[in-house]
Amino acid sequence: MAEFTLDLNDDQKQVRDWIHGFAADVMRPAAAEWDEREETPWPVIQEAAKLGIYSLDFYAQQYFDPTGLGIPMAMEELFWGDAGIGLSIVGTGLAAVGVLANGTEEQIGTWIPQMYGDANDVKVAAFCSSEPDAGSDVASMRTRAVYDEAKDEWVLNGTKTWATNGGIANVHVVVACVDPALGSKGHASFIVPPATAGLSQGQKFKKHGIRASHTAEVVLEDVRIPGSCLLGGKEKLDERLARAHERAAKGGGERVKNAAMATFEASRPAVGAMAVGTARAAYEVALDYAKTREQFGRPIIDNQGIAFQLADMRTQIDAARLLVWRASWMAVSGKPFTAAEGSMSKLYASEVAKKVTAQAVQILGGNGFTREYPVERMHRDAAIYTIFEGTSEIQRLVIARTLSGMPIR
């Protein structure tokens, strides 16, 4: 296992610079247009695929970086380019993580390539967990999966919401309840293959930010999928459910991860890195503006009120990055999150992104409030980080319960 270091090696620097170039030359010039259109930027995704950035191989290389810094480094640079387009490019990764966290080797090899397609025919995937009445409260999930033993098929019914790429995805990963008596411990994840009858797109949401990323409801009406589409397999599921029932009968608590929590836990430092990228982008715009904007005969950065804000912004961004890198390094090193370090990184970086982008708007003054400057869009985009994949309130709850030894449900 590689020793922890704050220095990127030459290969990492080369990858970082490559992604940064794509973000600067392709993503940023297109950002305002796709934000206004509120549509999936297929041409940008295809360009990313042609360059090898949107591909299974690229994310696998970053995922298996022995230092753990490959994914957060890539996320920061892409979201420095633009959060909406960035999420369109990496949104498939959440579904892929769902398969990696819960699937067998055969399922991983079969389904993840189909999530991306190829440079000539790009595809996307969707991870479907939240529901209209079950967001943070995953135990209230109503989507049901019932096993038809005679046909070796699972039948799914329910409605999912807030699904990135929902309805337009080639592959959907759906979390459903298989044993309501167990609450969140009775959940499992399923692959819904392309063109499966009964799956349809519901409402497409018009959002405050990340508007270039498609977010919609996914409706499941008697969706039948092969038994092999249960991630992890039925034998493993039956064993897990039996253990949960046994513990429940004994009245004992159980600290187990359900299917959705396993996916979110693995992805939280990456979301923190996205927030760092957006915060850094806004900070850089504000810094450049403060150096060139003159009032009362001198650049506004000469005023302590502005200079101190910029100093705090940079300090908070660097602190957030360090928390993200620590959590990522711990994960790849097999070190347990004894203090919920993954949630810490996502919590702090998300809050920093909201604060720094708001400060950037303030430093630009009236110009910051217009769409002529990108900080207005960055401020809108930053709002999502404290909401999706676990709100800031949920992150604090996870941290507090981890510290106290209470079970995380």
Side-chain angles (χ1 to χ4, degrees):
M1 184 60 63
E3 293 296 324
F4 177 79
T5 176
L6 293 177
D7 290 326
L8 299 178
N9 60 41
D10 290 341
D11 289 341
Q12 289 170 325
K13 290 176 182 177
Q14 185 176 7
V15 171
R16 178 198 61 192
D17 294 345
W18 171 47
I19 301 172
H20 184 84
F22 173 79
D25 298 338
V26 180
M27 295 176 68
R28 282 203 165 181
E33 174 189 351
W34 291 101
D35 177 72
E36 291 288 343
R37 291 175 63 167
E38 298 192 52
E39 297 175 358
T40 300
W42 291 108
V44 182
I45 299 174
Q46 185 158 28
E47 186 65 24
K50 289 179 179 178
L51 294 174
I53 293 175
Y54 184 76
S55 71
L56 174 60
D57 288 344
F58 171 75
Y59 289 107
Q61 289 174 11
Q62 304 316 308
Y63 183 82
F64 291 111
D65 182 329
T67 69
L69 301 185
I71 289 293
M73 179 187 65
M75 295 301 104
E76 180 177 338
E77 294 304 327
L78 287 171
F79 282 71
W80 173 90
D82 179 66
I85 295 177
L87 193 57
S88 288
I89 292 173
V90 308
T92 293
L94 185 58
V97 168
V99 176
L100 285 168
N102 301 293
T104 64
E105 289 187 8
E106 182 179 358
Q107 289 169 331
I108 291 169
T110 298
W111 295 110
I112 293 183
Q114 295 187 49
M115 294 179 175
Y116 289 95
D118 57 46
N120 296 317
D121 185 21
V122 293
K123 305 292 185 183
V124 295
F127 182 76
C128 308
S129 177
S130 294
E131 298 184 0
D133 296 318
S136 298
D137 182 12
V138 294
S140 297
M141 188 175 293
R142 295 181 179 179
T143 297
R144 292 292 308 277
V146 178
Y147 184 57
D148 184 342
E149 189 171 359
K151 295 183 178 180
D152 186 26
E153 292 180 339
W154 287 91
V155 184
L156 277 60
N157 281 282
T159 299
K160 295 296 181 178
T161 194
W162 311 123
T164 298
N165 298 329
I168 65 170
N170 193 47
V171 176
H172 291 77
V173 177
V174 177
V175 181
C177 180
V178 297
D179 193 333
L182 292 174
S184 62
K185 300 178 184 68
H187 295 174
S189 289
F190 299 86
I191 291 286
V192 180
T196 297
L199 184 148
S200 62
Q201 179 183 306
Q203 176 187 3
K204 177 186 175 183
F205 295 103
K206 298 181 74 66
K207 306 187 299 294
H208 175 65
I210 54 166
R211 301 198 301 188
S213 174
H214 176 96
T215 310
E217 291 181 330
V218 174
V219 181
L220 305 147
E221 296 179 306
D222 291 328
V223 172
R224 286 185 167 268
I225 57 175
S228 60
C229 287
L230 165 64
L231 289 178
K234 193 168 188 304
E235 182 178 349
K236 184 178 178 181
L237 172 65
D238 288 343
E239 291 175 356
R240 177 167 63 82
L241 295 178
R243 289 196 303 271
H245 276 292
E246 182 179 352
R247 290 188 176 96
K250 293 179 180 178
E254 181 185 25
R255 298 187 68 177
V256 298
K257 304 183 191 76
N258 61 57
M261 289 296 290
T263 299
F264 292 141
E265 192 171 297
S267 63
R268 276 170 180 158
V271 177
M274 298 173 190
V276 171
T278 299
R280 187 183 115 212
Y283 158 76
E284 290 176 0
V285 173
L287 177 63
D288 289 343
Y289 186 88
K291 288 178 178 179
T292 57
R293 172 70 168 173
E294 291 192 1
Q295 290 288 280
F296 306 107
R298 59 180 181 173
I300 62 174
I301 198 171
D302 286 351
N303 299 310
Q304 283 188 349
I306 300 297
F308 283 8
Q309 282 193 72
L310 290 163
D312 287 343
M313 291 159 73
R314 175 60 185 268
T315 300
Q316 291 162 0
I317 291 167
D318 283 8
R321 183 184 298 109
L322 288 173
L323 282 172
V324 168
W325 282 19
R326 180 185 68 167
S328 301
W329 171 78
M330 289 178 67
V332 79
S333 301
K335 297 184 180 297
F337 287 171
T338 56
E341 288 86 352
S343 289
M344 281 186 185
S345 68
K346 196 266 186 186
L347 168 65
Y348 188 75
S350 299
E351 296 290 344
V352 165
K354 283 188 67 174
K355 183 176 181 180
V356 165
T357 54
Q359 287 176 302
V361 171
Q362 189 69 23
I363 288 171
L364 268 66
N367 287 328
F369 200 65
T370 72
R371 296 191 180 179
E372 298 300 314
Y373 288 80
V375 292
E376 177 271 341
R377 183 179 69 252
M378 294 168 183
H379 182 44
R380 286 189 286 107
D381 291 341
I384 194 59
Y385 297 125
T386 62
I387 298 172
F388 73 174
E389 293 198 48
T391 64
S392 288
E393 292 75 19
I394 289 296
Q395 304 306 324
R396 290 184 173 96
L397 181 63
V398 169
I399 295 166
R401 287 187 169 177
T402 302
L403 296 177
S404 69
M406 294 174 63
I408 301 171
R409 297 184 173 87

